[in-house]
Amino acid sequence: MRVFKSTVVFERELALFLGCHIKTAKKYYQRMRDHYQKEAHGLLSLEEVASYYQLPVEVLQTFEQ
């Protein structure tokens, strides 16, 4: 089952990708939002998450749990 189903990344998907608890993933998500200067309720794109972790987008698109 693919973890990232669309071009928008949510905290739960990030938790599955990182293999951490949802609360930890929320903290990482907030750090990424701060890095990209987004609002507190802003959403991150798949490209932004890939860029933040210095990975190709294809790695995230094909990541399975």
Side-chain angles (χ1 to χ4, degrees), residues 5-45:
K5 296 174 178 65
S6 68
T7 59
V8 177
V9 177
F10 298 100
E11 288 110 348
R12 186 164 300 277
E13 295 171 338
L14 190 62
L16 292 172
F17 176 68
L18 297 175
C20 63
H21 194 269
I22 187 70
K23 282 189 174 186
T24 306
K26 286 182 181 193
K27 290 177 186 177
Y28 288 135
Y29 201 85
Q30 182 59 44
R31 286 183 191 166
M32 281 188 266
R33 272 196 298 240
D34 291 344
H35 176 77
Y36 290 109
Q37 300 172 350
K38 295 203 173 210
E39 295 180 13
H41 297 289
L43 297 174
L44 294 170
S45 70

mmCIF file of all heavy atoms in Angstrom, residues 5-45:
data_model
loop_
_atom_site.group_PDB
_atom_site.id
_atom_site.type_symbol
_atom_site.label_atom_id
_atom_site.label_comp_id
_atom_site.label_asym_id
_atom_site.label_seq_id
_atom_site.Cartn_x
_atom_site.Cartn_y
_atom_site.Cartn_z
ATOM 1 N N LYS A 5 -0.681 9.222 -1.181
ATOM 2 C CA LYS A 5 -1.713 8.981 -2.187
ATOM 3 C C LYS A 5 -1.968 10.186 -3.095
ATOM 4 O O LYS A 5 -2.582 10.058 -4.131
ATOM 5 C CB LYS A 5 -3.005 8.566 -1.499
ATOM 6 C CG LYS A 5 -2.871 7.253 -0.754
ATOM 7 C CD LYS A 5 -4.125 6.946 0.025
ATOM 8 C CE LYS A 5 -4.058 5.633 0.739
ATOM 9 N NZ LYS A 5 -3.059 5.559 1.776
ATOM 10 N N SER A 6 -1.518 11.365 -2.679
ATOM 11 C CA SER A 6 -1.737 12.567 -3.484
ATOM 12 C C SER A 6 -0.499 13.453 -3.397
ATOM 13 O O SER A 6 0.519 13.068 -2.823
ATOM 14 C CB SER A 6 -2.974 13.322 -2.989
ATOM 15 O OG SER A 6 -2.719 13.868 -1.712
ATOM 16 N N THR A 7 -0.607 14.650 -3.934
ATOM 17 C CA THR A 7 0.529 15.570 -3.900
ATOM 18 C C THR A 7 0.581 16.378 -2.612
ATOM 19 O O THR A 7 1.524 17.135 -2.401
ATOM 20 C CB THR A 7 0.478 16.535 -5.096
ATOM 21 O OG1 THR A 7 -0.742 17.260 -5.046
ATOM 22 C CG2 THR A 7 0.601 15.780 -6.409
ATOM 23 N N VAL A 8 -0.414 16.214 -1.748
ATOM 24 C CA VAL A 8 -0.437 16.881 -0.449
ATOM 25 C C VAL A 8 -0.051 15.855 0.612
ATOM 26 O O VAL A 8 -0.553 14.732 0.621
ATOM 27 C CB VAL A 8 -1.839 17.457 -0.140
ATOM 28 C CG1 VAL A 8 -1.877 18.074 1.241
ATOM 29 C CG2 VAL A 8 -2.236 18.467 -1.192
ATOM 30 N N VAL A 9 0.854 16.249 1.505
ATOM 31 C CA VAL A 9 1.329 15.349 2.562
ATOM 32 C C VAL A 9 0.672 15.747 3.874
ATOM 33 O O VAL A 9 0.619 16.922 4.228
ATOM 34 C CB VAL A 9 2.861 15.430 2.687
ATOM 35 C CG1 VAL A 9 3.351 14.564 3.825
ATOM 36 C CG2 VAL A 9 3.521 15.020 1.386
ATOM 37 N N PHE A 10 0.171 14.748 4.600
ATOM 38 C CA PHE A 10 -0.439 14.965 5.906
ATOM 39 C C PHE A 10 0.444 14.368 6.994
ATOM 40 O O PHE A 10 1.334 13.557 6.705
ATOM 41 C CB PHE A 10 -1.836 14.337 5.951
ATOM 42 C CG PHE A 10 -2.776 14.946 4.943
ATOM 43 C CD1 PHE A 10 -3.034 14.311 3.736
ATOM 44 C CD2 PHE A 10 -3.390 16.157 5.191
ATOM 45 C CE1 PHE A 10 -3.885 14.867 2.806
ATOM 46 C CE2 PHE A 10 -4.246 16.731 4.265
ATOM 47 C CZ PHE A 10 -4.499 16.086 3.070
ATOM 48 N N GLU A 11 0.183 14.753 8.248
ATOM 49 C CA GLU A 11 1.022 14.285 9.357
ATOM 50 C C GLU A 11 1.039 12.765 9.481
ATOM 51 O O GLU A 11 2.074 12.171 9.749
ATOM 52 C CB GLU A 11 0.554 14.902 10.685
ATOM 53 C CG GLU A 11 0.877 16.363 10.818
ATOM 54 C CD GLU A 11 -0.351 17.230 10.748
ATOM 55 O OE1 GLU A 11 -1.429 16.728 10.372
ATOM 56 O OE2 GLU A 11 -0.233 18.428 11.070
ATOM 57 N N ARG A 12 -0.099 12.133 9.297
ATOM 58 C CA ARG A 12 -0.182 10.672 9.436
ATOM 59 C C ARG A 12 0.686 9.975 8.383
ATOM 60 O O ARG A 12 1.361 8.997 8.678
ATOM 61 C CB ARG A 12 -1.622 10.207 9.334
ATOM 62 C CG ARG A 12 -1.790 8.732 9.613
ATOM 63 C CD ARG A 12 -3.217 8.363 9.892
ATOM 64 N NE ARG A 12 -3.784 9.049 11.043
ATOM 65 C CZ ARG A 12 -3.634 8.657 12.310
ATOM 66 N NH1 ARG A 12 -2.949 7.587 12.578
ATOM 67 N NH2 ARG A 12 -4.198 9.325 13.285
ATOM 68 N N GLU A 13 0.689 10.498 7.171
ATOM 69 C CA GLU A 13 1.539 9.925 6.121
ATOM 70 C C GLU A 13 3.016 10.114 6.451
ATOM 71 O O GLU A 13 3.832 9.220 6.227
ATOM 72 C CB GLU A 13 1.221 10.581 4.774
ATOM 73 C CG GLU A 13 -0.166 10.304 4.269
ATOM 74 C CD GLU A 13 -0.522 11.126 3.054
ATOM 75 O OE1 GLU A 13 0.081 12.183 2.826
ATOM 76 O OE2 GLU A 13 -1.433 10.672 2.332
ATOM 77 N N LEU A 14 3.346 11.277 7.011
ATOM 78 C CA LEU A 14 4.728 11.534 7.402
ATOM 79 C C LEU A 14 5.154 10.584 8.519
ATOM 80 O O LEU A 14 6.287 10.092 8.522
ATOM 81 C CB LEU A 14 4.886 12.989 7.837
ATOM 82 C CG LEU A 14 6.306 13.477 8.062
ATOM 83 C CD1 LEU A 14 7.114 13.411 6.771
ATOM 84 C CD2 LEU A 14 6.303 14.892 8.614
ATOM 85 N N ALA A 15 4.249 10.291 9.447
ATOM 86 C CA ALA A 15 4.557 9.349 10.526
ATOM 87 C C ALA A 15 4.847 7.956 9.969
ATOM 88 O O ALA A 15 5.774 7.278 10.421
ATOM 89 C CB ALA A 15 3.402 9.289 11.522
ATOM 90 N N LEU A 16 4.076 7.522 8.983
ATOM 91 C CA LEU A 16 4.323 6.222 8.362
ATOM 92 C C LEU A 16 5.649 6.213 7.619
ATOM 93 O O LEU A 16 6.398 5.228 7.673
ATOM 94 C CB LEU A 16 3.184 5.864 7.401
ATOM 95 C CG LEU A 16 1.833 5.578 8.031
ATOM 96 C CD1 LEU A 16 0.767 5.425 6.959
ATOM 97 C CD2 LEU A 16 1.905 4.336 8.895
ATOM 98 N N PHE A 17 5.962 7.298 6.943
ATOM 99 C CA PHE A 17 7.209 7.388 6.182
ATOM 100 C C PHE A 17 8.421 7.381 7.109
ATOM 101 O O PHE A 17 9.407 6.695 6.850
ATOM 102 C CB PHE A 17 7.206 8.648 5.317
ATOM 103 C CG PHE A 17 8.489 8.869 4.580
ATOM 104 C CD1 PHE A 17 8.880 8.014 3.563
ATOM 105 C CD2 PHE A 17 9.306 9.942 4.905
ATOM 106 C CE1 PHE A 17 10.069 8.223 2.877
ATOM 107 C CE2 PHE A 17 10.486 10.160 4.221
ATOM 108 C CZ PHE A 17 10.873 9.294 3.209
ATOM 109 N N LEU A 18 8.348 8.140 8.208
ATOM 110 C CA LEU A 18 9.478 8.244 9.119
ATOM 111 C C LEU A 18 9.532 7.103 10.130
ATOM 112 O O LEU A 18 10.551 6.922 10.809
ATOM 113 C CB LEU A 18 9.432 9.579 9.870
ATOM 114 C CG LEU A 18 9.562 10.828 9.003
ATOM 115 C CD1 LEU A 18 9.384 12.076 9.858
ATOM 116 C CD2 LEU A 18 10.903 10.846 8.303
ATOM 117 N N GLY A 19 8.437 6.371 10.261
ATOM 118 C CA GLY A 19 8.395 5.273 11.233
ATOM 119 C C GLY A 19 8.389 5.774 12.662
ATOM 120 O O GLY A 19 9.048 5.214 13.535
ATOM 121 N N CYS A 20 7.659 6.857 12.895
ATOM 122 C CA CYS A 20 7.603 7.440 14.229
ATOM 123 C C CYS A 20 6.156 7.602 14.677
ATOM 124 O O CYS A 20 5.221 7.342 13.928
ATOM 125 C CB CYS A 20 8.329 8.784 14.250
ATOM 126 S SG CYS A 20 7.598 10.038 13.197
ATOM 127 N N HIS A 21 5.986 8.050 15.903
ATOM 128 C CA HIS A 21 4.667 8.293 16.476
ATOM 129 C C HIS A 21 4.061 9.540 15.827
ATOM 130 O O HIS A 21 4.779 10.416 15.346
ATOM 131 C CB HIS A 21 4.814 8.491 17.986
ATOM 132 C CG HIS A 21 3.517 8.408 18.719
ATOM 133 N ND1 HIS A 21 2.756 9.517 18.963
ATOM 134 C CD2 HIS A 21 2.849 7.369 19.241
ATOM 135 C CE1 HIS A 21 1.659 9.163 19.619
ATOM 136 N NE2 HIS A 21 1.695 7.864 19.800
ATOM 137 N N ILE A 22 2.745 9.631 15.826
ATOM 138 C CA ILE A 22 2.048 10.749 15.190
ATOM 139 C C ILE A 22 2.428 12.091 15.826
ATOM 140 O O ILE A 22 2.561 13.091 15.129
ATOM 141 C CB ILE A 22 0.509 10.535 15.186
ATOM 142 C CG1 ILE A 22 -0.200 11.621 14.362
ATOM 143 C CG2 ILE A 22 -0.052 10.496 16.581
ATOM 144 C CD1 ILE A 22 0.031 11.537 12.905
ATOM 145 N N LYS A 23 2.644 12.120 17.139
ATOM 146 C CA LYS A 23 3.026 13.371 17.801
ATOM 147 C C LYS A 23 4.402 13.842 17.337
ATOM 148 O O LYS A 23 4.626 15.028 17.138
ATOM 149 C CB LYS A 23 3.031 13.204 19.318
ATOM 150 C CG LYS A 23 1.667 13.229 19.938
ATOM 151 C CD LYS A 23 1.773 13.274 21.447
ATOM 152 C CE LYS A 23 0.416 13.458 22.057
ATOM 153 N NZ LYS A 23 0.511 13.636 23.513
ATOM 154 N N THR A 24 5.311 12.912 17.152
ATOM 155 C CA THR A 24 6.635 13.250 16.648
ATOM 156 C C THR A 24 6.537 13.756 15.217
ATOM 157 O O THR A 24 7.200 14.729 14.843
ATOM 158 C CB THR A 24 7.562 12.024 16.720
ATOM 159 O OG1 THR A 24 7.548 11.513 18.055
ATOM 160 C CG2 THR A 24 8.973 12.373 16.323
ATOM 161 N N ALA A 25 5.712 13.110 14.417
ATOM 162 C CA ALA A 25 5.528 13.527 13.027
ATOM 163 C C ALA A 25 4.937 14.935 12.959
ATOM 164 O O ALA A 25 5.300 15.714 12.081
ATOM 165 C CB ALA A 25 4.635 12.539 12.294
ATOM 166 N N LYS A 26 4.055 15.281 13.885
ATOM 167 C CA LYS A 26 3.477 16.627 13.914
ATOM 168 C C LYS A 26 4.556 17.676 14.188
ATOM 169 O O LYS A 26 4.542 18.760 13.611
ATOM 170 C CB LYS A 26 2.372 16.722 14.957
ATOM 171 C CG LYS A 26 1.107 16.026 14.532
ATOM 172 C CD LYS A 26 0.009 16.185 15.556
ATOM 173 C CE LYS A 26 -1.226 15.457 15.086
ATOM 174 N NZ LYS A 26 -2.409 15.796 15.852
ATOM 175 N N LYS A 27 5.506 17.342 15.046
ATOM 176 C CA LYS A 27 6.605 18.270 15.328
ATOM 177 C C LYS A 27 7.478 18.461 14.090
ATOM 178 O O LYS A 27 7.865 19.581 13.762
ATOM 179 C CB LYS A 27 7.450 17.751 16.488
ATOM 180 C CG LYS A 27 6.747 17.808 17.810
ATOM 181 C CD LYS A 27 7.595 17.227 18.914
ATOM 182 C CE LYS A 27 6.812 17.170 20.214
ATOM 183 N NZ LYS A 27 7.586 16.543 21.296
ATOM 184 N N TYR A 28 7.789 17.363 13.402
ATOM 185 C CA TYR A 28 8.577 17.460 12.169
ATOM 186 C C TYR A 28 7.815 18.240 11.102
ATOM 187 O O TYR A 28 8.402 19.018 10.353
ATOM 188 C CB TYR A 28 8.939 16.073 11.639
ATOM 189 C CG TYR A 28 9.978 15.358 12.452
ATOM 190 C CD1 TYR A 28 9.820 14.031 12.788
ATOM 191 C CD2 TYR A 28 11.137 15.998 12.871
ATOM 192 C CE1 TYR A 28 10.775 13.357 13.527
ATOM 193 C CE2 TYR A 28 12.100 15.333 13.610
ATOM 194 C CZ TYR A 28 11.922 14.018 13.937
ATOM 195 O OH TYR A 28 12.869 13.355 14.666
ATOM 196 N N TYR A 29 6.510 18.011 11.026
ATOM 197 C CA TYR A 29 5.668 18.715 10.054
ATOM 198 C C TYR A 29 5.714 20.217 10.333
ATOM 199 O O TYR A 29 5.822 21.022 9.408
ATOM 200 C CB TYR A 29 4.243 18.174 10.145
ATOM 201 C CG TYR A 29 3.393 18.414 8.924
ATOM 202 C CD1 TYR A 29 3.437 17.554 7.847
ATOM 203 C CD2 TYR A 29 2.527 19.498 8.855
ATOM 204 C CE1 TYR A 29 2.646 17.756 6.723
ATOM 205 C CE2 TYR A 29 1.734 19.717 7.742
ATOM 206 C CZ TYR A 29 1.806 18.839 6.677
ATOM 207 O OH TYR A 29 1.030 19.045 5.563
ATOM 208 N N GLN A 30 5.640 20.590 11.599
ATOM 209 C CA GLN A 30 5.690 21.997 11.976
ATOM 210 C C GLN A 30 7.043 22.609 11.618
ATOM 211 O O GLN A 30 7.117 23.742 11.140
ATOM 212 C CB GLN A 30 5.408 22.174 13.466
ATOM 213 C CG GLN A 30 5.400 23.623 13.923
ATOM 214 C CD GLN A 30 4.366 24.463 13.203
ATOM 215 O OE1 GLN A 30 3.233 24.048 13.023
ATOM 216 N NE2 GLN A 30 4.762 25.641 12.762
ATOM 217 N N ARG A 31 8.119 21.862 11.823
ATOM 218 C CA ARG A 31 9.448 22.361 11.458
ATOM 219 C C ARG A 31 9.544 22.620 9.959
ATOM 220 O O ARG A 31 10.142 23.607 9.524
ATOM 221 C CB ARG A 31 10.528 21.364 11.870
ATOM 222 C CG ARG A 31 10.782 21.328 13.338
ATOM 223 C CD ARG A 31 11.903 20.382 13.664
ATOM 224 N NE ARG A 31 11.969 20.163 15.097
ATOM 225 C CZ ARG A 31 12.647 19.199 15.672
ATOM 226 N NH1 ARG A 31 13.342 18.350 14.924
ATOM 227 N NH2 ARG A 31 12.646 19.054 16.968
ATOM 228 N N MET A 32 8.956 21.729 9.170
ATOM 229 C CA MET A 32 8.974 21.917 7.720
ATOM 230 C C MET A 32 8.130 23.122 7.317
ATOM 231 O O MET A 32 8.505 23.882 6.432
ATOM 232 C CB MET A 32 8.476 20.657 7.005
ATOM 233 C CG MET A 32 9.518 19.589 6.926
ATOM 234 S SD MET A 32 8.999 18.224 5.902
ATOM 235 C CE MET A 32 8.334 17.155 7.144
ATOM 236 N N ARG A 33 6.973 23.300 7.980
ATOM 237 C CA ARG A 33 6.140 24.477 7.691
ATOM 238 C C ARG A 33 6.898 25.757 8.020
ATOM 239 O O ARG A 33 6.842 26.729 7.275
ATOM 240 C CB ARG A 33 4.845 24.429 8.493
ATOM 241 C CG ARG A 33 3.750 23.677 7.802
ATOM 242 C CD ARG A 33 2.418 23.977 8.419
ATOM 243 N NE ARG A 33 2.350 23.576 9.807
ATOM 244 C CZ ARG A 33 1.485 22.701 10.302
ATOM 245 N NH1 ARG A 33 0.579 22.156 9.521
ATOM 246 N NH2 ARG A 33 1.498 22.390 11.565
ATOM 247 N N ASP A 34 7.623 25.751 9.136
ATOM 248 C CA ASP A 34 8.430 26.920 9.503
ATOM 249 C C ASP A 34 9.536 27.155 8.471
ATOM 250 O O ASP A 34 9.817 28.297 8.108
ATOM 251 C CB ASP A 34 9.049 26.738 10.889
ATOM 252 C CG ASP A 34 8.019 26.770 12.001
ATOM 253 O OD1 ASP A 34 6.879 27.236 11.757
ATOM 254 O OD2 ASP A 34 8.342 26.306 13.111
ATOM 255 N N HIS A 35 10.144 26.092 8.017
ATOM 256 C CA HIS A 35 11.216 26.187 7.021
ATOM 257 C C HIS A 35 10.708 26.832 5.728
ATOM 258 O O HIS A 35 11.396 27.652 5.125
ATOM 259 C CB HIS A 35 11.785 24.795 6.734
ATOM 260 C CG HIS A 35 12.823 24.763 5.671
ATOM 261 N ND1 HIS A 35 14.119 25.176 5.893
ATOM 262 C CD2 HIS A 35 12.767 24.384 4.371
ATOM 263 C CE1 HIS A 35 14.812 25.040 4.779
ATOM 264 N NE2 HIS A 35 14.014 24.562 3.834
ATOM 265 N N TYR A 36 9.514 26.460 5.311
ATOM 266 C CA TYR A 36 8.924 27.005 4.095
ATOM 267 C C TYR A 36 8.050 28.228 4.343
ATOM 268 O O TYR A 36 7.363 28.703 3.442
ATOM 269 C CB TYR A 36 8.118 25.923 3.353
ATOM 270 C CG TYR A 36 9.015 24.877 2.744
ATOM 271 C CD1 TYR A 36 9.056 23.597 3.266
ATOM 272 C CD2 TYR A 36 9.830 25.187 1.669
ATOM 273 C CE1 TYR A 36 9.896 22.631 2.713
ATOM 274 C CE2 TYR A 36 10.665 24.236 1.112
ATOM 275 C CZ TYR A 36 10.695 22.968 1.640
ATOM 276 O OH TYR A 36 11.524 22.019 1.106
ATOM 277 N N GLN A 37 8.066 28.742 5.579
ATOM 278 C CA GLN A 37 7.339 29.945 5.988
ATOM 279 C C GLN A 37 5.857 29.866 5.639
ATOM 280 O O GLN A 37 5.277 30.790 5.060
ATOM 281 C CB GLN A 37 7.986 31.181 5.361
ATOM 282 C CG GLN A 37 9.419 31.350 5.788
ATOM 283 C CD GLN A 37 10.130 32.444 5.045
ATOM 284 O OE1 GLN A 37 9.631 32.983 4.075
ATOM 285 N NE2 GLN A 37 11.315 32.776 5.511
ATOM 286 N N LYS A 38 5.242 28.762 6.028
ATOM 287 C CA LYS A 38 3.804 28.575 5.797
ATOM 288 C C LYS A 38 3.053 28.879 7.089
ATOM 289 O O LYS A 38 3.621 28.875 8.176
ATOM 290 C CB LYS A 38 3.525 27.142 5.357
ATOM 291 C CG LYS A 38 4.136 26.822 4.018
ATOM 292 C CD LYS A 38 3.419 25.686 3.392
ATOM 293 C CE LYS A 38 3.935 25.515 1.982
ATOM 294 N NZ LYS A 38 2.934 24.989 1.119
ATOM 295 N N GLU A 39 1.761 29.097 6.955
ATOM 296 C CA GLU A 39 0.921 29.360 8.125
ATOM 297 C C GLU A 39 0.802 28.108 8.985
ATOM 298 O O GLU A 39 1.119 26.999 8.551
ATOM 299 C CB GLU A 39 -0.455 29.815 7.669
ATOM 300 C CG GLU A 39 -0.431 31.134 6.934
ATOM 301 C CD GLU A 39 -1.806 31.559 6.504
ATOM 302 O OE1 GLU A 39 -2.796 30.978 6.964
ATOM 303 O OE2 GLU A 39 -1.890 32.498 5.701
ATOM 304 N N ALA A 40 0.286 28.275 10.199
ATOM 305 C CA ALA A 40 0.188 27.170 11.147
ATOM 306 C C ALA A 40 -0.680 26.030 10.633
ATOM 307 O O ALA A 40 -0.473 24.875 10.989
ATOM 308 C CB ALA A 40 -0.350 27.676 12.474
ATOM 309 N N HIS A 41 -1.670 26.345 9.800
ATOM 310 C CA HIS A 41 -2.548 25.302 9.269
ATOM 311 C C HIS A 41 -2.284 25.033 7.797
ATOM 312 O O HIS A 41 -3.108 24.424 7.121
ATOM 313 C CB HIS A 41 -4.020 25.683 9.481
ATOM 314 C CG HIS A 41 -4.377 25.782 10.927
ATOM 315 N ND1 HIS A 41 -4.483 24.686 11.742
ATOM 316 C CD2 HIS A 41 -4.616 26.859 11.712
ATOM 317 C CE1 HIS A 41 -4.784 25.081 12.965
ATOM 318 N NE2 HIS A 41 -4.873 26.396 12.975
ATOM 319 N N GLY A 42 -1.132 25.474 7.326
ATOM 320 C CA GLY A 42 -0.778 25.248 5.930
ATOM 321 C C GLY A 42 -0.438 23.790 5.669
ATOM 322 O O GLY A 42 -0.051 23.052 6.570
ATOM 323 N N LEU A 43 -0.580 23.388 4.441
ATOM 324 C CA LEU A 43 -0.271 22.014 4.039
ATOM 325 C C LEU A 43 1.020 21.995 3.245
ATOM 326 O O LEU A 43 1.372 22.960 2.561
ATOM 327 C CB LEU A 43 -1.408 21.437 3.194
ATOM 328 C CG LEU A 43 -2.750 21.306 3.894
ATOM 329 C CD1 LEU A 43 -3.812 20.856 2.900
ATOM 330 C CD2 LEU A 43 -2.660 20.325 5.047
ATOM 331 N N LEU A 44 1.718 20.884 3.330
ATOM 332 C CA LEU A 44 2.961 20.714 2.594
ATOM 333 C C LEU A 44 2.733 19.844 1.369
ATOM 334 O O LEU A 44 1.962 18.888 1.410
ATOM 335 C CB LEU A 44 4.013 20.054 3.487
ATOM 336 C CG LEU A 44 4.486 20.877 4.683
ATOM 337 C CD1 LEU A 44 5.332 20.019 5.611
ATOM 338 C CD2 LEU A 44 5.274 22.075 4.216
ATOM 339 N N SER A 45 3.423 20.174 0.315
ATOM 340 C CA SER A 45 3.322 19.365 -0.897
ATOM 341 C C SER A 45 4.360 18.244 -0.855
ATOM 342 O O SER A 45 5.325 18.286 -0.085
ATOM 343 C CB SER A 45 3.535 20.232 -2.134
ATOM 344 O OG SER A 45 4.881 20.635 -2.204
#
